Coordinates of all heavy atoms in Angstrom, one line a residue:
A67 N 2.0 -6.3 -28.9 CA 2.5 -5.0 -29.3 C 4.0 -5.1 -29.6 O 4.7 -6.0 -29.2 CB 2.1 -4.0 -28.3
D68 N 4.5 -4.0 -30.3 CA 5.9 -3.9 -30.4 C 6.6 -3.8 -29.1 O 6.2 -2.9 -28.3 CB 6.3 -2.7 -31.3 CG 5.8 -2.9 -32.8 OD1 5.7 -4.1 -33.2 OD2 5.6 -1.9 -33.5
D69 N 7.5 -4.6 -28.7 CA 8.1 -4.6 -27.4 C 9.5 -3.9 -27.5 O 10.4 -4.3 -28.2 CB 8.4 -6.1 -26.9 CG 8.7 -6.1 -25.5 OD1 9.1 -5.1 -24.9 OD2 8.7 -7.2 -24.9
H70 N 9.6 -2.8 -26.8 CA 10.8 -1.9 -26.8 C 11.6 -2.2 -25.6 O 12.5 -1.4 -25.2 CB 10.3 -0.5 -26.8 CG 9.5 -0.1 -28.0 ND1 10.1 0.4 -29.2 CD2 8.2 -0.2 -28.3 CE1 9.2 0.6 -30.1 NE2 8.0 0.3 -29.6
S71 N 11.4 -3.3 -24.9 CA 12.1 -3.6 -23.7 C 13.7 -3.6 -23.8 O 14.4 -3.2 -22.9 CB 11.7 -4.9 -23.1 OG 10.3 -4.9 -22.7
E72 N 14.1 -4.2 -24.9 CA 15.6 -4.3 -25.1 C 16.3 -3.0 -25.2 O 17.3 -2.8 -24.6 CB 15.8 -5.1 -26.4 CG 17.3 -5.4 -26.6 CD 17.9 -6.3 -25.6 OE1 17.2 -7.2 -25.0 OE2 19.1 -6.2 -25.3
K73 N 15.6 -2.0 -25.9 CA 16.3 -0.7 -26.0 C 15.9 0.3 -24.9 O 16.7 1.2 -24.6 CB 15.9 -0.1 -27.4 CG 16.5 -0.9 -28.6 CD 16.1 -0.2 -29.9 CE 16.7 -1.0 -31.1 NZ 16.3 -0.4 -32.4
E74 N 14.7 0.1 -24.4 CA 14.3 1.0 -23.3 C 14.2 0.3 -22.0 O 13.2 -0.5 -21.7 CB 12.9 1.6 -23.7 CG 12.9 2.4 -25.0 CD 11.5 2.8 -25.5 OE1 10.6 2.6 -24.8 OE2 11.5 3.4 -26.6
K75 N 15.2 0.5 -21.2 CA 15.3 -0.3 -19.9 C 14.4 0.4 -18.9 O 14.9 1.1 -17.9 CB 16.7 -0.3 -19.4 CG 17.6 -1.1 -20.4 CD 17.2 -2.6 -20.4 CE 18.1 -3.4 -21.2 NZ 17.7 -4.9 -21.3
E76 N 13.1 0.3 -19.0 CA 12.1 0.9 -18.1 C 10.8 0.1 -18.1 O 10.6 -0.7 -19.0 CB 11.9 2.3 -18.5 CG 11.3 2.5 -19.9 CD 11.1 3.9 -20.3 OE1 12.1 4.5 -20.7 OE2 10.0 4.4 -20.1
N134 N -2.0 2.4 -26.4 CA -1.2 2.2 -25.2 C -1.8 3.0 -24.0 O -2.0 4.2 -24.2 CB 0.2 2.6 -25.5 CG 1.2 2.3 -24.3 OD1 0.8 1.7 -23.3 ND2 2.4 2.8 -24.4
D138 N 2.7 -0.5 -18.2 CA 3.2 -1.8 -18.7 C 2.7 -2.9 -17.7 O 2.7 -4.1 -18.1 CB 4.8 -1.8 -18.7 CG 5.3 -0.8 -19.6 OD1 5.0 -0.8 -20.8 OD2 6.1 0.0 -19.1
Q328 N -1.1 -3.4 -25.8 CA -0.2 -2.3 -26.4 C 0.8 -1.8 -25.4 O 1.4 -0.7 -25.6 CB -1.1 -1.2 -26.9 CG -2.1 -1.6 -28.0 CD -1.4 -2.2 -29.2 OE1 -0.4 -1.7 -29.6 NE2 -2.0 -3.3 -29.7
A329 N 1.0 -2.5 -24.3 CA 2.1 -2.1 -23.4 C 3.4 -2.1 -24.1 O 3.7 -3.0 -24.9 CB 2.1 -3.0 -22.1
R330 N 4.2 -1.1 -23.8 CA 5.4 -0.8 -24.6 C 6.6 -1.7 -24.1 O 7.5 -2.0 -24.9 CB 5.8 0.6 -24.5 CG 6.9 1.1 -25.4 CD 7.1 2.6 -25.4 NE 8.3 3.0 -26.2 CZ 8.2 3.3 -27.4 NH1 7.0 3.3 -28.1 NH2 9.3 3.7 -28.1
H331 N 6.5 -2.2 -22.9 CA 7.7 -2.9 -22.3 C 7.2 -4.2 -21.6 O 7.4 -4.4 -20.5 CB 8.4 -2.0 -21.3 CG 8.7 -0.6 -21.8 ND1 8.0 0.5 -21.4 CD2 9.7 -0.2 -22.6 CE1 8.5 1.5 -22.0 NE2 9.5 1.1 -22.8
K332 N 6.7 -5.1 -22.4 CA 6.1 -6.3 -21.9 C 7.2 -7.2 -21.3 O 7.0 -7.7 -20.2 CB 5.4 -7.1 -23.1 CG 4.9 -8.5 -22.7 CD 4.1 -9.1 -23.9 CE 3.6 -10.5 -23.5 NZ 4.8 -11.5 -23.6
T333 N 8.3 -7.4 -21.9 CA 9.3 -8.3 -21.4 C 9.9 -7.7 -20.0 O 10.1 -8.5 -19.1 CB 10.5 -8.4 -22.3 OG1 10.0 -9.1 -23.5 CG2 11.6 -9.3 -21.7
N334 N 10.0 -6.4 -19.9 CA 10.5 -5.8 -18.7 C 9.4 -6.1 -17.6 O 9.8 -6.3 -16.4 CB 10.7 -4.3 -18.9 CG 12.0 -4.1 -19.7 OD1 12.8 -4.9 -20.0 ND2 12.1 -2.8 -20.2

Side-chain angles (χ1 to χ4, degrees):
D68 291 337
D69 192 348
H70 299 265
S71 294
E72 184 63 31
K73 294 182 178 179
E74 299 174 4
K75 295 297 184 180
E76 60 185 82
N134 182 8
D138 301 304
Q328 302 303 317
R330 189 174 176 89
H331 308 106
K332 175 175 178 284
T333 297
N334 291 344

